[in-house]
Amino acid sequence: MGFQASNPWALLLILPLLLYVWWMSRMTLRLRGGRKLVSIITRAIILLLLIAIISDIQPFTEREQRKVVFVADRSASMRADTRMSEWIKEAWSSKENEDSGGIVSSGLNAAVERTLTKQLFEDEQSFAFRANLNPRYTDISQGLQLAAAMLQEEGGGRIVLLSDGAENIGDARRQARLLKNVGIAVDVVPLKPESVKDASIEELNVPPSLKQGETFGFEIMINSTAAGPAQLRLYADNAELSLSDIQLEKGENRFALQSIAADPGFHRFRAEIFVPGDEQQANNTAHAFSRVGGPPAVLIVEGARGSSANIEAALQSSLIRFETIIPEQLSVELAEYAAYDSIILNNVSATRIAEKPMEWIAKAVSDYGVGLMMLGGDESFGLGGYFKTPIERALPVHMDLQGKKQIPSLGLVLVIDRSGSMSGGKLELAKEAAMRTVELLRDTDTVGVVAFDSAPWWVVEPTQLKDREAVLTKIKGIQPEGGTEIFTALSTGYEGLKELDAQRKHMILLTDGQSSTSANYKAVTDAMNEENMTLSTVAVGEGADQQLLKRLADDAKGRYYFTKDQSTLPAIFSRETVMMSRTYIVEQTFTPSIGQAGDWSINWRNGLPAIDAYIATSPKQTAEIALWTQGGDPLLARWPYGSGRTVAWTSDFMGKWSSQWVQWPEFPSVFVDWVKWTFPQFEQAPYSISAQMTGNEAKLSVRSLADGEVADSRLSAGIQDLAGNQEIKRLMPVAPGEYEAKLTVSEPGVYLAQIGQKSDDSSIQNGSTAGFVIPYSPEYRIANEDGPALLEQIAATTGGRVIDPSDPRMAFQFNPQPSRQVYDWTRMLLISALMLWLLDIAIRRLSFPLERMMARFKRHFQSNKLSISGETNTTVERSASFSALSRLKERKTEANRFYGNGASSTNASDTRLVARYDSAPSAESRIIRESPENSPAEQKNEAAKDATINRLLAAKNKNRR
């Protein structure tokens, strides 16, 4: 056992400590004798303990043992967890009892599987890896660093690395040099991955920009571990371009396929390889993108098939390419909308547009500059249920009639199924629909909400919307529970609606199930007809009783809705609320008046045709109203929204409400001008962007294509991932016209980026669209030629060995290294110093009468001894009295010394007193003065002494009795 000091310079404090001890021995006058010696020793020990703490002196024991940490490469390229665990198990069994080992797993990150321990594996079973790692990358340096930290805590050792050396992130060579500096050797076990049948697409190259009609080529490089037939598929925007049967050879295979850039816009391409028996699917896909310039493209979404003939003819006359679909065909991928220059919603109900397509359309406008136009009809605007939807936010008009008073008063009761089957998203969206309905109503309207399961209960008693927030709060509190019983809920809603005083009374029933009982629903619907009430029903999902709900809506002169997409529920409720007031459709013939027409005014310098009807809306504050109706409502409005532009036409173009407009000779050119105004305002992408992967982190490099551009510190990029989520990244200038940003990605594919200046609402204003490709992880690439060389270099740099994979026992076959087992006793030293400090205080502050205690003990001992030997009580009395006189003498001597009296006379007087006492014949005898010639003062002192002796004798006699 020995001692070591981390701060040996602190031991020099011992010299001033010795000087301090000498000073205490000379200057401490208040203490004498043993108390002084104990106090000095205590303080010296306290200071020695503090010096030991400052110098960090610690005891240690030296021992020789082998310490090994196994680092297992568990990345996807290895596919050898079982083989490595068996290898480690066998190596572990060969170690001696004093040897210790640990296990670390490594992938993208590293984790400790087993700390350094001497224990063998339990039950002689193979070790099983349990750490949760990201296997899509190999970072050997992370595993080496964690293993080195474990060994350094224990005084050193060796690392055994089991890997194929296929590093694709990190720097293992640099880590090896660091390990050499700290004296930790790395033994490597080169493991070849198990041979599997695999084919991977290593490259897919497409020109980044093309012209419409241009012929271009796909350059594809495929690596394969075996020869054989395969199928190669090419996709453009998820549409299959080609299917080719190819023959693969072992190793690299290159193919070139041709295609034509037919459609302008931003396009994503994907190549997929299919090989029979392929055991690795993660590397079978590659991505690319290209921007095709040419004539603009317009997407027409029509509510009724064939209703867009007039607008199709207008676009065709101007050679504008278009595509017409129904709402159910809208894509659920945002990138699909970036391929169009503008989107036209022609009399489309919001109840037919799912949540994601509606959100993507608004994002395509605000983030990617795509235009949007809504055309009126009895299924559009407020009547279409667009209240508080993303599309309403994008348009220049509000769906509700803000400030209008002509709507009849409305009494509305919402009957909502809250049974257990409605749990999750259904009930939450039903509550959102009810709250959106409440917000759409006016303060003079009356609303009630009934929730039902096995029995109905009023969530909101029928009341006027004086306190709208209270109603919304109660609706939010509805929770799912119980079964489904429709009839009693319908009857309860009818009874509440009957009591309302409103010009129009309406009920909406929503459920996803079937009633547990059957009843006479006809009696309720007939009663509603007599009271001029209407009922609309909403069936959610296939489990709803669609026949019952449709019959109830027909019998009560309402509308029946069936939806599989619960996200449309808010739009359905909004549409129903608006439908209760037919004043939203203004049916009167008038000639529009011109407002802020701007560059459009040249199109109607010769006058405008009349309009027969339109949908009433409210203009937004910053919108430009090009045409006004006779009632002061907007007929044609426009405004910019984010990076795009939107237009609202509140009449129709089918001829029902605007027959004179569609027959107007100027109609095609006028309409096309409106559409062109919505087109993106940039001709080509002013920026190029590329991504360089480092693990799961991508470094984005953005380069301006404009010559001589000055660095813009406000430039940002809105990155859209594959799920449609957007993340704003600030672009940091690194050179004139060059910028960088870092992004964490998880899935391979084509990512869209909107590059421009960030606005106050955290969106990109007037940005340009660019794209970049995130390939699959290099972990899944087949080629691995540098792995064995890397492992050998790690071993050579650190002074390690290359261990044969067939001989696991070599792991612990090396000379043991001496190591120190250091014991940290700092806490114990601090506690000891504290206890000694308290003892020092006690020694200095407290006085212990040790001499008196010893004298009392002596008297007690002598008394017992005399009693046993049979001596007389008189002798005991004299001995006790003599002791008392001795104590009196001591106190008198101390008093004389303090007041400066002479010591000789005192001692003589005391001697005479003692002598007279000793010569007394008995305890009751009086003391005879020895010298009659004493002075009066001396005689007085002698009398006082005699009185003291008499008191002592009297007290002793009393104790004896």
Side-chain angles (χ1 to χ4, degrees):
M1 182 172 179
F3 293 88
Q4 66 179 24
S6 300
N7 305 315
W9 56 266
L11 296 176
L12 296 175
L13 296 174
I14 294 178
L15 296 178
L17 171 63
L18 296 176
L19 182 61
Y20 178 68
V21 171
W22 175 83
W23 180 84
M24 285 193 298
S25 65
R26 302 287 296 177
M27 301 302 296
T28 306
L29 302 178
R30 190 170 59 88
L31 301 178
R32 297 191 312 277
R35 287 179 65 191
K36 180 177 180 179
L37 179 62
V38 172
S39 176
I40 293 175
I41 293 174
T42 302
R43 286 200 171 187
I45 295 175
I46 292 173
L47 293 175
L48 282 174
L49 292 177
L50 294 178
I51 292 174
I53 294 172
I54 296 173
S55 59
D56 196 17
I57 294 180
Q58 293 179 335
F60 65 85
T61 57
E62 290 189 348
R63 57 182 179 179
E64 291 187 351
Q65 65 171 167
R66 301 173 181 87
K67 293 188 286 290
V68 175
V69 175
F70 297 91
V71 177
D73 179 3
R74 294 180 56 207
S75 58
S77 64
M78 289 292 294
R79 297 184 291 274
D81 278 10
T82 303
R83 184 157 51 123
M84 287 190 295
S85 63
E86 289 288 348
W87 198 96
I88 295 173
K89 164 70 167 42
E90 186 174 350
W92 202 290
S93 63
S94 66
K95 78 178 187 64
E96 298 180 1
N97 293 334
E98 289 299 319
D99 297 340
S100 59
I103 303 174
V104 170
S105 289
S106 179
L108 174 62
N109 52 326
V112 176
E113 296 277 1
R114 191 180 179 110
T115 58
L116 279 168
T117 179
K118 298 179 182 179
Q119 298 179 356
L120 295 173
F121 292 109
E122 299 176 357
D123 302 329
E124 297 297 325
Q125 295 180 356
S126 298
F127 172 75
F129 294 104
R130 293 182 176 86
N132 186 16
L133 302 173
N134 185 345
R136 292 189 292 179
Y137 300 91
T138 300
D139 189 350
I140 296 176
S141 63
Q142 288 281 345
L144 296 178
Q145 183 178 2
L146 182 56
M150 294 172 59
L151 290 174
Q152 285 180 302
E153 290 182 358
E154 299 295 329
R158 298 177 78 92
I159 297 174
V160 176
L161 172 63
L162 295 87
S163 175
D164 61 353
E167 181 186 50
N168 46 57
I169 181 177
D171 191 348
R173 293 179 177 86
R174 178 179 179 274
Q175 187 62 39
R177 293 191 294 270
L178 295 176
L179 293 178
K180 177 185 177 182
N181 295 334
V182 296
I184 296 178
V186 180
D187 299 334
V188 297
V189 183
L191 298 178
K192 292 184 178 180
E194 296 180 359
S195 179
V196 296
K197 187 176 182 180
D198 188 17
S200 65
I201 302 180
E202 305 286 342
E203 296 179 8
L204 172 61
N205 297 322
V206 179
S209 60
L210 297 167
K211 296 294 184 181
Q212 186 176 14
E214 179 182 357
T215 300
F216 68 99
F218 294 94
E219 297 180 1
I220 306 169
M221 196 274 276
I222 302 174
N223 205 336
S224 179
T225 60
Q231 281 188 339
L232 179 62
R233 297 175 185 264
L234 285 177
Y235 296 86
D237 300 324
N238 293 326
E240 186 175 288
L241 285 181
S242 66
L243 171 61
S244 306
D245 293 322
I246 58 176
Q247 182 68 30
L248 295 178
E249 299 295 335
K250 185 176 181 179
E252 290 188 2
N253 301 263
R254 294 187 176 273
F255 300 91
L257 301 177
Q258 286 191 338
S259 184
I260 297 177
D263 301 326
F266 187 90
H267 297 282
R268 300 173 302 158
F269 299 101
R270 184 174 78 253
E272 296 181 356
I273 185 72
F274 297 90
V275 178
D278 193 344
E279 299 181 51
Q280 178 62 269
Q281 306 295 325
N283 55 9
N284 290 356
T285 305
H287 302 268
F289 69 91
S290 182
R291 180 184 294 275
V292 179
V298 175
L299 176 64
I300 303 173
V301 185
E302 58 182 9
R305 292 185 183 274
S307 61
S308 303
N310 293 326
I311 60 178
E312 289 175 351
L315 295 174
Q316 193 170 12
S317 65
S318 297
L319 301 179
I320 296 179
R321 188 173 54 90
F322 61 86
E323 179 184 359
T324 304
I325 62 173
I326 59 175
E328 288 75 15
Q329 294 177 296
L330 286 169
S331 175
V332 294
E333 295 188 13
L334 175 61
E336 297 288 339
Y337 301 99
Y340 298 99
D341 295 275
S342 187
I343 301 171
I344 299 175
L345 301 178
N346 182 22
N347 196 25
V348 178
S349 172
T351 62
R352 298 176 61 186
I353 303 178
E355 180 182 14
K356 278 299 180 185
M358 188 175 294
E359 183 179 345
W360 291 162
I361 291 174
K363 273 187 171 291
V365 177
S366 62
D367 297 347
Y368 299 102
V370 178
L372 175 65
M373 177 183 290
M374 176 174 282
L375 305 181
D378 56 4
E379 298 284 336
S380 65
F381 293 101
L383 291 179
Y386 286 97
F387 178 69
K388 285 206 168 181
T389 62
I391 289 180
E392 185 204 25
R393 291 194 293 270
L395 291 174
V397 294
H398 295 288
M399 300 300 153
D400 57 335
L401 302 184
Q402 299 183 356
K404 306 288 182 177
K405 301 298 182 181
Q406 70 271 27
I407 301 177
S409 60
L410 175 62
L412 181 64
V413 172
L414 307 177
V415 183
I416 300 175
D417 184 356
R418 70 140 190 171
S419 60
S421 60
M422 289 287 291
S423 61
K426 290 182 183 178
L427 185 57
E428 292 302 316
L429 284 168
K431 292 192 292 184
E432 172 64 26
M435 290 188 291
R436 190 176 295 183
T437 297
V438 171
E439 292 174 353
L440 191 57
L441 297 174
R442 297 175 304 164
D443 293 344
T444 56
D445 294 329
T446 305
V447 68
V449 180
V450 176
F452 71 92
D453 42 37
S454 302
W457 60 284
W458 285 99
V459 178
V460 177
E461 294 281 352
T463 180
Q464 279 193 338
L465 288 175
K466 301 298 184 182
D467 190 354
R468 198 179 301 263
E469 289 300 324
V471 174
L472 296 176
T473 301
K474 291 179 180 179
I475 295 175
K476 290 179 183 178
I478 302 176
Q479 299 298 325
E481 185 180 356
T484 304
E485 214 298 296
I486 298 176
F487 179 78
T488 55
L490 189 65
S491 300
T492 301
Y494 162 73
E495 294 296 334
L497 190 61
K498 184 172 64 174
E499 301 299 326
L500 298 183
D501 182 14
Q503 293 172 298
R504 293 184 180 179
K505 299 180 181 181
H506 186 62
M507 186 189 305
I508 303 175
L509 168 65
L510 179 146
T511 181
D512 71 337
Q514 301 189 16
S515 183
S516 58
T517 61
S518 59
N520 185 11
Y521 291 94
K522 185 68 173 174
V524 179
T525 55
D526 288 346
M528 294 182 71
N529 291 331
E530 293 178 1
E531 297 287 341
N532 292 322
M533 302 178 187
T534 54
L535 169 67
S536 292
T537 57
V538 183
V540 183
E542 299 289 350
D545 192 342
Q546 299 181 44
Q547 292 183 354
L548 172 63
L549 296 176
K550 188 175 187 307
R551 187 175 72 250
L552 289 175
D554 292 341
D555 291 346
K557 296 180 176 56
R559 287 158 296 279
Y560 164 72
Y561 299 89
F562 170 74
T563 180
K564 293 182 180 179
D565 187 351
Q566 59 199 28
S567 66
T568 62
L569 291 178
I572 292 174
F573 274 54
S574 297
R575 171 178 167 78
E576 272 298 297
T577 306
V578 173
M579 287 289 290
M580 288 309 300
S581 174
R582 298 303 296 176
T583 54
Y584 270 75
I585 300 179
V586 181
E587 295 179 317
Q588 60 181 13
T589 302
F590 65 94
T591 300
S593 58
I594 300 175
Q596 296 174 317
D599 53 347
W600 290 349
S601 59
I602 193 174
N603 294 320
W604 41 68
R605 59 184 180 275
N606 296 324
L608 291 169
I611 292 292
D612 297 322
Y614 66 95
I615 299 292
T617 59
S618 301
K620 292 184 178 178
Q621 187 174 2
T622 59
E624 295 181 14
I625 310 303
L627 296 176
W628 291 94
T629 66
Q630 188 177 9
D633 296 321
L635 178 64
L636 178 64
R638 67 182 187 182
W639 78 337
Y641 180 69
S643 299
R645 296 176 172 184
T646 65
V647 173
W649 169 259
T650 59
S651 187
D652 73 342
F653 275 144
M654 295 178 292
K656 180 179 179 181
W657 295 349
S658 57
S659 58
Q660 296 185 44
W661 273 74
V662 297
Q663 296 174 8
W664 183 32
E666 303 294 331
F667 167 72
S669 61
V670 169
F671 178 74
V672 168
D673 280 349
W674 300 351
V675 176
K676 286 182 178 179
W677 185 84
T678 66
F679 286 167
Q681 302 304 299
F682 48 86
E683 294 292 333
Q684 61 180 1
Y687 298 96
S688 66
I689 184 171
S690 60
Q692 181 180 357
M693 294 297 297
T694 303
N696 63 341
E697 187 176 70
K699 183 179 75 172
L700 303 182
S701 299
V702 179
R703 185 171 62 89
S704 174
L705 301 181
D707 295 333
E709 178 180 327
V710 179
D712 186 356
S713 59
R714 297 174 298 172
L715 200 65
S716 299
I719 310 299
Q720 201 82 36
D721 63 16
L722 303 181
N725 301 316
Q726 188 179 52
E727 182 178 4
I728 304 296
K729 288 289 184 180
R730 183 183 176 186
L731 298 175
M732 302 301 297
V734 295
E738 296 182 8
Y739 307 86
E740 285 185 358
K742 289 186 178 181
L743 177 71
T744 300
V745 296
S746 57
E747 296 295 333
V750 176
Y751 286 72
L752 299 181
Q754 187 75 4
I755 303 174
Q757 293 185 0
K758 183 180 178 181
S759 64
D760 295 336
D761 60 350
S762 298
S763 63
I764 303 299
Q765 295 293 334
N766 300 322
S768 60
T769 304
F772 60 93
V773 175
I774 298 298
Y776 59 80
S777 170
E779 185 70 24
Y780 302 107
R781 293 186 180 275
I782 294 175
N784 178 23
E785 300 177 356
D786 300 332
L790 173 62
L791 296 178
E792 292 178 2
Q793 187 174 354
I794 292 174
T797 301
T798 60
R801 304 167 294 171
V802 178
I803 299 178
D804 189 345
S806 62
D807 190 7
R809 297 180 179 272
M810 285 286 293
F812 282 94
Q813 292 181 6
F814 58 91
N815 294 328
Q817 297 177 342
S819 62
R820 290 182 176 183
Q821 181 68 37
V822 180
Y823 299 94
D824 187 3
W825 63 351
T826 303
R827 180 183 178 88
M828 183 181 66
L829 295 180
L830 285 172
I831 294 175
S832 300
L834 177 62
M835 300 302 295
L836 290 173
W837 177 60
L838 296 176
L839 176 61
D840 180 62
I841 294 175
I843 292 171
R844 291 174 171 275
R845 299 298 181 186
L846 301 179
S847 177
F848 298 96
L850 298 178
E851 296 179 357
R852 188 182 303 172
M853 293 172 63
M854 291 298 297
R856 185 173 298 175
F857 174 77
K858 184 177 180 181
R859 288 198 310 272
H860 180 72
F861 177 76
Q862 290 178 351
S863 175
N864 292 338
K865 183 177 179 181
L866 291 175
S867 298
I868 294 173
S869 61
E871 294 186 5
T872 62
N873 293 334
T874 302
T875 305
V876 175
E877 288 180 4
R878 290 183 176 180
S879 176
S881 300
F882 182 79
S883 298
L885 287 174
S886 297
R887 290 194 301 273
L888 180 62
K889 174 185 176 182
E890 292 177 0
R891 288 196 294 272
K892 185 176 180 181
T893 302
E894 291 292 333
N896 291 333
R897 183 186 298 114
F898 180 79
Y899 290 108
N901 295 334
S904 58
S905 62
T906 303
N907 292 336
S909 175
D910 293 340
T911 301
R912 291 195 300 271
L913 178 62
V914 173
R916 286 197 301 273
Y917 176 75
D918 289 340
S919 61
S922 63
E924 290 82 5
S925 300
R926 294 184 57 84
I927 299 176
I928 305 300
R929 295 178 175 83
E930 185 176 353
S931 177
E933 292 82 14
N934 290 339
S935 64
E938 290 177 346
Q939 292 177 5
K940 187 177 181 179
N941 289 338
E942 291 296 334
K945 294 176 182 179
D946 292 342
T948 300
I949 293 174
N950 291 332
R951 284 196 304 271
L952 292 174
L953 291 175
K956 197 64 178 178
N957 292 333
K958 183 179 180 180
N959 291 336
R960 185 181 59 189
R961 288 193 300 267

